[in-house]
Amino acid sequence: YFCPKSMGRKGFRRFVEDKLVRLGGGFLLYSLLLGPIMNLYCFAYSGYPITYRFYTGPTWFILWLLNFTMIYAVIAQFAAPVKMNMPHPVILLLFGAFLSAAFYGAAVGVPEVWSSLGNMVMWKFGIGLYVPFFTAGIIAGRNDWMKSVEEMETWCVWMLRTIVVGFWLLIFLEFGQYQIPIPGINIDGDALGNLLPPIYAVPMTLALIQLFHQYFNGTPPSKIAKSAGAAAYTVYIIHTVVYNVWIIAFIAILKAAGVTIFWSQEKTLMYLTVDPATGEPTMLPDGYIWAGWLWTFILSQLTVWPLAHYMRQLPVL
């Protein structure tokens, strides 16, 4: 969204240099240093063989954001800007349905061997979500669509919120039919997973932008909101390093309490316990799993944001 204004302000050369440092630097910082270090301490604690290896982790998305940005920068040098007002949200919902068809086509049509080409995590998402959403963001930024989202009519806002909640209910029922279980529900999970993402992402994106504009984006923003916004990119880069420390700490607590921990040899870094009745590996009790989730979530939030606040003083962040 901010690329056109940034390009216009900085010019081609400075824009490209800035993105190479900020996006490329963040990608390399994690892939060459933070990700491998995380793997080393996780593997060492769990007893797996220790080796240094290049590890992109969640920063694969930063790499592709850099790719898209560089492609935009080149195209913008000779292509005429697209001038258009924001389509009505109902039209955008129809566009989401079209993207769902493209998503489904890529899901069933792209061979598995090609789905991670170029370090993309499944090209069905690249074709059905990332490329069209990045393109829409460029057009939106050039034509100031944000103002139209902020000024949507009340009925339109509530329509979008209702659609989003409806999709939440559909997703809950799909998972719940097996996990709870819920009798009488027969939703095809594969079909839903290959159709839902784009048609859900469109109303969800519009609803969230409008929601935050209405209730959270104060003018001027609060000190906490301003600091969180500034640290968010660094949080994305370092969050796996932080939460894995707290996962290991929780496992250490379980061990100290006498719980037997078994590390799977088939699925690396998956830890289980041992059923005393059978001597076979089994899942931890539900209470331990929920306690571990709360422990990891709360302590990760309390540490990753302050750490990111200070780490972002580095030139590449």
Side-chain angles (χ1 to χ4, degrees):
Y1 182 86
F2 299 104
C3 283
K5 291 183 175 65
S6 180
M7 172 87 83
R9 187 174 64 253
K10 298 176 181 178
F12 175 78
R13 179 173 178 175
R14 190 174 161 213
F15 175 83
V16 169
E17 290 174 347
D18 178 69
K19 297 306 178 184
L20 285 173
V21 171
R22 182 162 173 76
L23 298 177
F27 171 75
L28 292 176
L29 175 65
Y30 185 91
S31 301
L32 293 174
L33 182 63
L34 297 180
I37 288 175
M38 179 190 72
N39 281 332
L40 288 174
Y41 68 68
C42 287
F43 278 52
Y45 182 80
S46 54
Y48 296 102
I50 301 174
T51 56
Y52 173 90
R53 65 187 181 96
F54 182 83
Y55 180 68
T56 59
T59 59
W60 70 268
F61 189 81
I62 296 176
L63 174 64
W64 272 99
L65 184 58
L66 176 61
N67 292 340
F68 294 153
T69 303
M70 294 298 102
I71 292 170
Y72 160 73
V74 172
I75 293 176
Q77 300 311 298
F78 59 84
V82 176
K83 298 291 185 180
M84 64 179 295
N85 294 327
M86 176 180 155
H88 193 278
V90 173
I91 302 299
L92 292 177
L93 292 177
L94 295 176
F95 180 66
F98 169 79
L99 291 181
S100 285
F103 188 95
Y104 184 85
V108 300
V110 176
E112 187 70 24
V113 68
W114 298 105
S115 66
S116 298
L117 180 66
N119 212 39
M120 172 67 73
V121 177
M122 293 187 287
W123 267 103
K124 63 181 180 180
F125 287 94
I127 294 170
L129 278 177
Y130 306 141
V131 172
F133 268 58
F134 183 86
T135 304
I138 295 295
I139 298 172
R142 187 172 292 280
N143 295 279
D144 198 21
W145 287 8
M146 189 70 75
K147 185 177 178 64
S148 298
V149 176
E150 294 170 353
E151 296 176 352
M152 282 192 298
E153 297 177 83
T154 301
W155 74 267
C156 197
V157 170
W158 282 103
M159 176 192 70
L160 292 171
R161 293 175 182 175
T162 302
I163 291 172
V164 170
V165 173
F167 280 130
W168 289 351
L169 178 60
L170 180 63
I171 294 168
F172 171 78
L173 291 175
E174 193 278 323
F175 278 98
Q177 66 183 337
Y178 304 112
Q179 302 299 326
I180 296 178
I182 303 176
I185 302 296
N186 186 25
I187 300 173
D188 188 330
D190 289 337
L192 186 66
N194 286 331
L195 286 170
L196 182 65
I199 201 170
Y200 165 68
V202 171
M204 183 271 293
T205 300
L206 294 172
L208 277 181
I209 293 174
Q210 193 282 330
L211 184 74
F212 271 77
H213 164 71
Q214 184 173 353
Y215 295 108
F216 301 104
N217 294 348
T219 304
S222 67
K223 186 175 180 180
I224 292 177
K226 188 175 180 179
S227 298
Y233 175 58
T234 306
V235 167
Y236 181 78
I237 293 175
I238 69 172
H239 73 280
T240 59
V241 181
V242 174
Y243 73 61
N244 273 292
V245 170
W246 293 116
I247 290 174
I248 289 175
F250 184 73
I251 296 171
I253 292 172
L254 292 179
K255 286 183 174 181
V259 178
T260 302
I261 298 297
F262 174 85
W263 294 94
S264 172
Q265 298 304 307
E266 290 76 29
K267 296 183 178 180
T268 304
L269 295 179
M270 179 180 180
Y271 64 95
L272 306 165
T273 189
V274 175
D275 187 337
T278 64
E280 295 295 323
T282 186
M283 296 289 291
L284 289 165
D286 288 349
Y288 291 2
I289 294 174
W290 280 107
W293 181 83
L294 288 171
W295 164 276
T296 305
F297 175 77
I298 294 171
L299 291 177
S300 294
Q301 297 298 326
L302 291 176
T303 51
V304 72
W305 290 95
L307 181 60
H309 174 76
Y310 292 104
M311 279 193 66
R312 66 178 294 269
Q313 309 307 316
L314 294 172
V316 298
L317 298 176

